[in-house]
Amino acid sequence: MRAEIEKTVAEIEQVLTLLRRHLDWDTAQLRLDALNAQTESPEFWNDPEKARTIMRERDELDVAVKTVRELETGIGDNVELIELGEAEGDQDVVREAENALVELKQMARRTQIETLLSGEVDGNDCYVEIHSGAGGTESQDWANILLRMYTRWAERRKMKVEVLEMHDGEEAGIKSATIQVKGHNAYGWMKTESGVHRLVRISPYDSAARRHTSFSSVWVYPVVDDSIDIDIREADLKVDTYRSSGAGGQHVNTTDSAIRITHIPSGIIVACQQERSQHKNRATAMNMLKARLYELELQKREEAANAQAASKTDIGWGHQIRSYVLQPYQMVKDLRTGVESGQPSLVLDGDLDEFMEAALAQRVGVATDVAGDD
């Protein structure tokens, strides 16, 4: 085998060793067998809440175990194909197996990062808030582009996206939107997207075809379940009702069903206009508020834990994290990790994995020779 492919195989094997150690491989397999046995019991669903917790653990462990086995099988099969192809002088077989090993390396890198997502709520669904910056129509259009980008990213990962609140711009785009992303490790993957995103392009709304710079902010926070107790006093809340601004059927805009809740001590504001029922919108908004308050506490903990390393990193909440330049050249650059892409059209269509992986690797401290670029 070529030295480059031997290095690729060694890197995959290194990740496999780390994954087995992280999972406590023998214990993980026994635990998965035990969980599978529990789910097959006739009384399993007698306690739905407990059953859902067990199912979630089982599904996550099942994915982890299957991935390790897939990587092990992939290495063995493709190394064997390369040796066979070299012996028979079949370069097509060799190239195909080498390409498969490169893909396995990328899969191993993603799996390592995802497996190491061990935060309290990394496995949870998440809320994503997008707000346009100053600049009117141009910034509002940019906010709408970001909304589509995250929706496409979620769809690529087979996650579900639900629009909870949206305020349209006067001419185009959106002033703000809140979506809920539902899927395995949704918050764990998306939490590094919080910050200010900058767009440079020739504005389609400028008759003089001048170059414009626009800013929009993104805020990601986890959906919290009932097991996490968040104490909110009614006296600390200011609740406003208003008419939903979205398009819809005959009842949507005829009643003040939309809800906006302001948490006075923290200044946090959440809103929901998804349902026709004011009661349902209030319940959803309260869940969003609990999630925001919990995320605020997580942020404080992280800032305290990283205080000594603050000078070495650029993970600032609410600060510019990424630039998307469409003119005069084409480049997307993450200002925290240095990751770049010369294909912004793909990035804006949801191809964000490289940026997310680098930011997560930076957070969890994955070695650069394993988690770096190919």
Side-chain angles (χ1 to χ4, degrees):
M1 285 190 296
R2 293 187 296 121
E4 183 181 346
I5 293 302
E6 289 180 351
K7 181 184 176 183
T8 296
V9 171
E11 289 175 347
I12 298 171
E13 289 175 340
Q14 179 186 356
V15 173
L16 270 171
T17 299
L18 292 171
L19 290 176
R20 289 194 199 96
R21 186 184 308 155
H22 179 79
L23 285 169
D24 190 356
W25 182 241
D26 292 337
T27 302
Q29 293 178 91
L30 292 172
R31 177 61 178 164
L32 181 59
D33 290 342
L35 291 171
N36 283 330
Q38 286 186 56
T39 61
E40 293 169 3
S41 168
E43 294 81 26
F44 179 68
W45 287 103
N46 288 352
D47 185 342
E49 186 174 341
K50 181 181 178 182
R52 283 191 292 269
T53 301
I54 292 173
M55 284 298 296
R56 180 171 180 170
E57 181 186 357
R58 190 207 73 87
D59 291 346
E60 291 178 0
L61 193 55
D62 185 54
V63 169
V65 168
K66 283 181 177 177
T67 300
V68 168
R69 288 172 176 162
E70 186 177 343
L71 289 171
E72 288 175 334
T73 302
I75 291 177
D77 289 350
N78 285 292
V79 167
E80 188 176 331
L81 278 173
I82 290 173
E83 292 172 348
L84 183 63
E86 288 175 340
E88 297 182 356
D90 191 336
Q91 290 305 308
D92 289 339
V93 169
V94 172
R95 276 193 297 270
E96 184 178 344
E98 288 180 343
N99 290 337
L101 284 171
V102 171
E103 291 179 5
L104 275 177
K105 176 187 172 182
Q106 295 170 346
M107 173 184 169
R109 181 180 64 188
R110 285 194 301 269
T111 303
Q112 180 187 13
I113 295 170
E114 189 164 61
T115 302
L116 295 176
L117 291 176
S118 55
E120 293 176 71
V121 286
D122 280 347
N124 289 22
D125 300 339
C126 67
Y127 299 111
V128 182
E129 284 187 19
I130 301 171
H131 296 271
S132 62
T137 300
E138 181 66 27
S139 290
Q140 290 164 14
D141 187 48
W142 173 222
N144 197 40
I145 293 171
L146 286 173
L147 175 62
R148 179 185 180 276
M149 179 180 77
Y150 289 122
T151 300
R152 293 286 294 119
W153 174 84
E155 290 171 348
R156 284 168 178 249
R157 284 186 164 267
K158 309 300 182 186
M159 296 183 182
K160 294 181 180 179
V161 176
E162 194 173 323
V163 178
L164 301 180
E165 177 269 340
M166 184 182 296
H167 288 285
D168 295 331
E170 283 87 359
E171 297 179 32
I174 58 172
K175 293 179 180 178
S176 67
T178 303
I179 61 174
Q180 183 174 348
V181 180
K182 301 178 179 180
H184 177 59
N185 280 340
Y187 176 68
W189 279 105
M190 290 207 67
K191 63 185 179 183
T192 59
E193 291 298 297
S194 288
V196 175
H197 297 248
R198 170 178 173 260
L199 173 70
V200 179
R201 67 171 177 176
I202 302 296
S203 172
Y205 305 101
D206 187 337
S207 58
R210 291 171 293 189
R211 193 164 70 245
H212 284 244
T213 299
S214 305
F215 297 90
S216 287
S217 65
V218 174
W219 192 265
V220 181
Y221 50 102
V223 174
V224 295
D225 55 34
D226 294 337
S227 65
I228 299 173
D229 185 25
I230 307 292
D231 184 28
I232 301 177
R233 296 193 314 146
E234 195 69 27
D236 290 338
L237 302 180
K238 179 177 180 291
V239 181
D240 298 305
T241 59
Y242 59 98
R243 291 193 177 183
S244 171
S245 60
Q250 60 180 342
H251 300 292
V252 172
N253 296 318
T254 59
T255 60
D256 294 342
S257 59
I259 291 286
R260 181 186 299 111
I261 300 177
T262 303
H263 184 250
I264 299 169
S266 65
I268 291 173
I269 301 173
V270 294
C272 182
Q273 61 181 41
Q274 173 196 21
E275 304 287 346
R276 294 181 181 180
S277 163
Q278 186 183 112
H279 176 73
K280 290 181 179 178
N281 282 332
R282 180 187 172 96
T284 300
M286 283 299 294
N287 286 335
M288 292 166 64
L289 177 58
K290 288 180 180 179
R292 283 287 300 272
L293 290 171
Y294 182 71
E295 195 274 343
L296 182 63
E297 179 60 30
L298 289 180
Q299 176 190 335
K300 290 177 181 177
R301 291 186 206 171
E302 180 174 337
E303 288 173 348
N306 293 333
Q308 293 182 341
S311 60
K312 302 178 184 177
T313 62
D314 188 23
I315 306 176
W317 296 87
H319 293 87
Q320 185 176 325
I321 63 168
R322 194 175 300 141
S323 288
Y324 309 71
V325 181
L326 305 186
Q327 278 96 14
Y329 55 90
Q330 296 214 329
M331 177 69 70
V332 179
K333 181 172 182 178
D334 195 289
L335 305 180
R336 304 160 299 175
T337 62
V339 171
E340 297 181 353
S341 170
Q343 297 180 295
S345 60
L346 294 180
V347 176
L348 294 174
D349 195 41
D351 189 7
L352 291 166
D353 283 358
E354 184 179 8
F355 295 96
M356 290 182 174
E357 287 168 13
L360 285 169
Q362 187 181 70
R363 282 195 173 196
V364 301
V366 175
T368 55
D369 59 339
V370 176
D373 292 335
D374 297 323

